[in-house]
Amino acid sequence: MEQIGHFINGELVAGTSGRTADVFNPATGEVIAQVALADKSEMDAAVAVAAAAQPAWAALNPQKRARVMMKMVTLLHRDMDKLAEALSREHGKTLPDAAGDVIRGLEVVEYCIGAPEMLKGEYTDGAGPGIDMYSMKQALGVCAGITPFNFPAMIPMWMFAPAIVCGNAFILKPSERDPSVPMMLAALMEEAGLPKGIMQVVNGDKEAVDAIIADETIQSIGFVGSTPIAQYIYAGGCAAGKRVQCFGGAKNHAIIMPDADMDNVVDALIGASFGAAGERCMALSVAVPVGKDTADRLIEALIPRVESLKIGPYTGGNDVDFGPVVTQMAKDKINGLVQSGVDQGAELAVDGRGFSLQGYEDGFFVGASLFDNVTTDMDIYKQEIFGPVLCTVRADTYADAIKLTMDNEYGNGTAIFTRDGDTARDFANRINVGMVGVNVPIPVPLAYHTFGGWKKSAFGDLNQHGPDAFKFYTRTKTVTSRWPSGAREGANFSIPTMD
Ligand code: NAD
């Protein structure tokens, strides 16, 4: 059985805590590896290595740090197939989707090549007589990141690339469900020229996370995962005086106006609701058709498309639309929620619960389900299902549809489908959601913009990647310097002004 340890000080090392977690191939249900779960002493050791290595890395000129990112881009392209295969094997998503996971991370690595520009400070020449003032953006020191299972390449890269290029050392605590790709990424960073100890991977669970929160050397925590854990880490990290950003769960609504192009809407919903088996924080999980006629047309068009979705293992080639969910526990939770929807009175237009794939009976496959007439008091509406289930909540008017979306506790992504620019513009302006699509189902911003939700989908002030990442991973120091010429003025006991 493969044993996955940690990546410490440039080396693969075995865990010493004696605790491990099983890593599954979700397509077959087999245990394919065991991953070490670090205890506090292992985390402490990694932090000590990071703290020792970081000052020299921060002292290197930003161009040289950026060159590591340039090389990393090349290596990611070189190893794309290998990374995608390892990712699919532990996560279950299709190979093209796994390559997309790597590419959306790679794009942030590319963006980080611009670090010398992003890290330029500010300078005021002659702020007063003989006085100059300048601001520097300096690294924080040792930073930590805690990532979810659903994007094991992209989200680690969204964190470690900006953190490291800013001059920090970074400790990644990836999901224990699919740890192989994060370990491969750390090895690639070293191959790209990163000094030992600047990027480390410490595998683990709550114990490792608690060690990060309690550690006094770690200056910042980036977290992506479910909302309860996001709140726990945000509260603990802030109380410990760290800089913290935590991104949580989602319930993304798609509003379908009566004038929308229904063929486009159905294509968009099929991909965005069922792609990656719905295990995306930007999945569209709630369809909100406006008006009875729109809703009837939508459901009629969706049913045959949902029924004909092709589900299979990542080895199934291009014919597979989506793969299994990540664990048996996730499968049971999804099926349980579908049953709760039936019990609570929603109309199950397509029932995916009985799905089984010949030869893969032990895999964690869940068929696609479509609900109609869902109401806001039902568990399938209130909870994040994180599976291949699309809920339809019918709205009488645009005003009802926008209110529904705004009243939802989550605010990660949303989309409106319409041909009317006025409605689209009003929606984009008024909606209290962080990422908005207009006829775009998954509006994940590109690397040079920022990614982040509102409400219970994000805790903290700054978003991920884009310019916000350079703010999150640096702190500002402002120097006021005076080189007096001529007579000295003596002591001044009032607050200095530049008059
Ligand atoms: P999760 O919250 O179970 O785990 C995320 C991380 O937290 C993992 O590294 C895990 O080891 C750790 N963790 C789990 N339980 C913990 C505990 N009790 N104490 C401390 N740490 C703990 O999330 P997941 O199932 O891996 O990922 C799916 C979730 O992530 C969904 O809710 C999804 O919406 C969300 N997500 C959000 C975004 C975003 O940008 N907002 C992006 C991707 C995923």
Side-chain angles (χ1 to χ4, degrees), residues 209-210 213-214 221 223 227-247 458-460:
V209 170
D210 286 340
I213 296 171
I221 306 177
F223 170 86
T227 289
I229 312 298
Q231 287 176 303
Y232 169 75
I233 293 173
Y234 190 70
C238 290
K242 299 185 196 312
R243 186 175 289 191
V244 192
Q245 57 175 190
C246 293
F247 298 89
F459 305 88

Side-chain angles (χ1 to χ4, degrees), residues 270 274 301-309 350 368-370 390:
I270 286 289
F274 300 101
L302 275 174
I303 288 174
R305 294 289 300 273
V306 176
E307 283 175 339
S308 60
L309 280 164
V350 181
S369 291
L370 173 66
L390 175 59

Side-chain angles (χ1 to χ4, degrees), residues 431-470:
I431 201 73
N432 56 359
V433 171
M435 292 171 283
V436 182
V438 176
N439 299 317
V440 169
I442 306 188
V444 176
L446 288 175
Y448 43 93
H449 287 265
T450 71
F451 179 107
W454 287 15
K455 298 185 275 182
K456 282 198 174 165
S457 294
F459 305 88
D461 306 311
L462 294 167
N463 280 351
Q464 300 194 82
H465 64 66
D468 274 13
F470 283 84

Side-chain angles (χ1 to χ4, degrees), residues 126-174:
I131 296 177
D132 304 318
M133 200 175 283
Y134 61 97
S135 298
M136 300 182 261
K137 292 177 188 165
Q138 296 197 324
L140 304 178
V142 180
C143 302
I146 300 156
T147 52
F149 81 85
N150 68 327
F151 281 99
M154 177 183 87
I155 294 176
M157 283 192 260
W158 284 9
M159 293 182 186
F160 74 68
I164 287 174
V165 87
C166 286
N168 299 289
F170 191 84
I171 295 177
L172 174 64
K173 204 303 285 170

Side-chain angles (χ1 to χ4, degrees), residues 46-47 50-52 54 140-144 168-171 215 217-220:
V47 173
Q54 188 267 336
L140 304 178
V142 180
C143 302
N168 299 289
F170 191 84
I171 295 177
D215 189 280
T217 302
I218 293 174
Q219 298 294 307
S220 77

Side-chain angles (χ1 to χ4, degrees), residues 217-485:
T217 302
I218 293 174
Q219 298 294 307
S220 77
I221 306 177
F223 170 86
V224 178
S226 58
T227 289
I229 312 298
Q231 287 176 303
Y232 169 75
I233 293 173
Y234 190 70
C238 290
K242 299 185 196 312
R243 186 175 289 191
V244 192
Q245 57 175 190
C246 293
F247 298 89
K251 199 82 185 171
N252 304 317
H253 293 50
I255 294 183
I256 298 113
M257 296 301 293
D259 66 350
D261 177 331
M262 198 52 85
D263 290 340
N264 276 350
V265 169
V266 170
D267 280 342
L269 282 178
I270 286 289
S273 308
F274 300 101
E279 291 177 322
R280 289 183 185 141
C281 69
M282 290 293 277
L284 283 180
S285 50
V286 183
V288 189
V290 174
K292 182 176 183 315
D293 174 62
T294 314
D296 291 345
R297 284 188 292 127
L298 177 72
I299 293 291
E300 194 190 329
L302 275 174
I303 288 174
R305 294 289 300 273
V306 176
E307 283 175 339
S308 60
L309 280 164
K310 297 195 188 74
I311 307 164
Y314 72 91
T315 45
N318 291 340
D319 214 24
V320 174
D321 294 321
F322 68 85
V325 297
V326 68
T327 55
Q328 181 65 41
M329 210 167 53
K331 175 176 172 168
D332 294 344
K333 181 188 159 197
I334 295 161
N335 284 336
L337 275 165
V338 172
Q339 183 59 43
S340 81
V342 174
D343 295 344
Q344 291 169 14
E347 201 177 303
L348 188 54
V350 181
D351 183 355
R353 285 171 300 172
F355 181 83
S356 174
L357 192 64
Q358 207 181 358
Y360 294 88
E361 287 79 3
D362 293 332
F364 311 138
F365 290 97
V366 183
S369 291
L370 173 66
F371 274 111
D372 192 5
N373 288 311
V374 174
T375 52
T376 54
D377 54 333
M378 296 176 183
D379 289 332
I380 49 171
Y381 180 76
K382 289 191 286 190
Q383 292 187 32
E384 185 184 34
I385 302 175
F386 225 54
V389 182
L390 175 59
C391 295
T392 308
V393 182
R394 293 173 172 234
D396 290 335
T397 62
Y398 168 66
D400 293 341
I402 197 168
K403 181 172 184 321
L404 178 83
T405 311
M406 291 182 76
D407 287 349
N408 192 273
E409 63 176 340
Y410 293 109
N412 213 39
T414 187
I416 188 164
F417 294 89
T418 180
R419 287 185 168 109
D420 180 41
D422 185 30
T423 307
R425 190 166 182 277
D426 178 76
F427 182 75
N429 279 324
R430 275 206 285 147
I431 201 73
N432 56 359
V433 171
M435 292 171 283
V436 182
V438 176
N439 299 317
V440 169
I442 306 188
V444 176
L446 288 175
Y448 43 93
H449 287 265
T450 71
F451 179 107
W454 287 15
K455 298 185 275 182
K456 282 198 174 165
S457 294
F459 305 88
D461 306 311
L462 294 167
N463 280 351
Q464 300 194 82
H465 64 66
D468 274 13
F470 283 84
K471 292 188 185 125
F472 185 74
Y473 288 112
T474 58
R475 59 184 134 215
T476 303
K477 183 186 284 174
T478 306
V479 179
T480 306
S481 74
R482 184 183 190 204
W483 297 100
S485 54

